[in-house]
Amino acid sequence: MFLPQHVHLTPAMRSVLQGMARATYPPIHSLTAGEARAAYERGANVLELPKARLARVEDFTIPARDGGALPARLYAPAGAPLPVLLYFHGGGYTVGSIATHDVVCRELSRLSGCAVVSVDYRLAPEHPFPAAVHDAWDATWWLARHAGEVGLDGRRLAVGGDSAGGTLAAVCAIMARDAGLPLALQVLFYPGTAPAREAPSHERHGRGLVLDQDHIDWFFDQYIPLKQRTDWRFAPLLADELEGVAPAWIGLAEYDPVVDDGLAYADKLRASGVTVDLEIYRGVTHEFIKMGRAVREARQAHADAARAIARALETPDP
């Protein structure tokens, strides 16, 4: 395993990368979309914590604008109507599912005391941009108005996600502001926010650290044509105005190609008067929040995000 001189991973993170290097699986960017999804599903839970037992874990569907039905899973630590985090999984808009992010959602629910609803938005290349955005927004709008149908309190609503799912959450926060839909918080784990690999961190951390430059290019190519990549719904860093969007909790990995893009988005939010709670987890890489069994920083990130969720979604004064 080759690592640049400037990379100082935690011992646990280094051990994870060494294990990945020994496995010699073909890289995702060398596979078809179907093969990549199957490979990601097989490995998604290898380093996860044991599944937390919760009072409610229920599957249901959310209607999409084209008449389709989006699979969703509800996690709740209690049966009473609870405030809710709507969660969008990562995977470059091409891989990932409710199943691959089951443990993360369970942990956020368990630690925050709030409900979590995870959504299977439709994936590229079969459903290219802006399909994932449409699905994410349809789920947000529906949950805000129909949460009571699944025993939740839609008046206290946050959005969140990791990687591409974090991008979708950021986009939904902007759309919610424009629609007059109040959100309590946006929870963004290492989101993609820029239209291209131009920030210095893409060069510094783009080889051998889980998310390679070739992976990013492959995901982008599956999802969106080059001519559309200046659309802010793909790259929220390009949004004209961020004033009035929901407060943000942003968790970034130190050794991640997209870390500079995440920092730039945090700076733009703050410059727009948005409250931002920013955490940078040292010595770890992209995808680390799904490594809770091996990487202490994953467990810390779960706890930090859950604390922010609980604080933002607290019961309002009568």
Side-chain angles (χ1 to χ4, degrees):
M1 179 183 67
F2 169 77
L3 291 176
Q5 290 286 328
H6 66 275
V7 173
H8 302 289
L9 300 173
T10 68
M13 190 76 244
R14 182 177 292 272
S15 178
V16 167
L17 291 188
Q18 289 170 339
M20 293 171 66
R22 288 194 298 270
T24 65
Y25 295 125
I28 278 181
H29 62 78
S30 70
L31 304 175
T32 67
E35 291 168 341
R37 285 175 202 148
Y40 188 73
E41 293 276 343
R42 286 194 298 270
N45 296 313
V46 170
L47 297 174
E48 291 276 27
L49 294 165
K51 289 186 178 184
R53 296 178 64 87
L54 298 169
R56 297 180 66 192
V57 178
E58 302 167 9
D59 291 334
F60 65 106
T61 60
I62 294 174
R65 66 186 64 191
D66 62 1
L70 306 174
R73 182 170 295 167
L74 184 161
Y75 304 88
L82 295 173
V84 57
L85 168 73
L86 180 62
Y87 194 87
F88 307 113
H89 67 77
Y93 309 101
T94 307
V95 305
S97 66
I98 288 173
T100 63
H101 287 65
D102 181 79
V103 169
V104 169
C105 290
R106 287 174 185 264
E107 286 300 293
L108 292 177
S109 179
R110 179 182 71 86
L111 293 167
S112 70
C114 300
V116 174
V117 169
S118 180
V119 178
D120 257 341
Y121 55 89
R122 286 171 284 193
L123 299 176
E126 296 89 344
H127 302 281
F129 176 86
V133 173
H134 287 167
D135 288 352
W137 175 244
D138 289 350
T140 304
W141 185 259
W142 183 89
L143 193 59
R145 278 153 176 73
H146 298 274
E149 296 177 17
V150 288
L152 301 175
D153 182 357
R155 298 168 302 173
R156 294 178 289 162
L157 175 63
V159 293
D162 61 291
S163 195
T167 309
L168 292 173
V171 169
C172 284
I174 299 171
M175 297 175 77
R177 177 207 58 190
D178 294 344
L181 176 64
L183 295 179
L185 186 69
Q186 50 182 318
V187 177
L188 313 179
F189 291 108
Y190 38 77
T193 64
R197 296 191 291 100
E198 295 177 347
S201 59
H202 284 276
E203 182 62 31
R204 290 198 312 269
H205 309 319
R207 296 289 181 213
L209 295 171
V210 180
L211 183 64
D212 283 358
Q213 293 177 5
D214 291 338
H215 291 135
I216 296 174
D217 291 342
W218 185 83
F219 286 134
F220 282 12
D221 289 344
Q222 301 299 309
Y223 180 55
I224 185 169
L226 186 62
K227 64 182 180 181
Q228 292 183 284
R229 294 182 189 176
T230 55
D231 191 315
W232 68 266
R233 296 173 299 169
F234 171 69
L237 193 56
L238 300 181
D240 289 337
E241 295 181 358
L242 295 177
E243 292 86 351
V245 304
W249 181 92
I250 302 176
L252 306 177
E254 181 180 15
Y255 297 117
D256 186 345
V258 302
V259 65
D260 286 353
D261 299 330
L263 290 170
Y265 196 62
D267 288 343
K268 185 167 183 174
L269 286 168
R270 284 172 171 154
S272 301
V274 178
T275 300
V276 176
D277 184 357
L278 175 67
E279 299 286 347
I280 302 175
Y281 296 91
R282 302 296 177 181
V284 296
T285 71
H286 199 85
E287 194 82 349
F288 81 97
I289 66 164
K290 289 177 49 54
M291 302 176 184
R293 183 165 59 82
V295 177
R296 178 183 62 81
E297 288 74 14
R299 302 188 293 276
Q300 185 63 55
H302 298 162
D304 292 342
R307 191 177 306 112
I309 295 164
R311 185 167 59 243
L313 293 177
E314 65 183 353
T315 304
D317 294 332

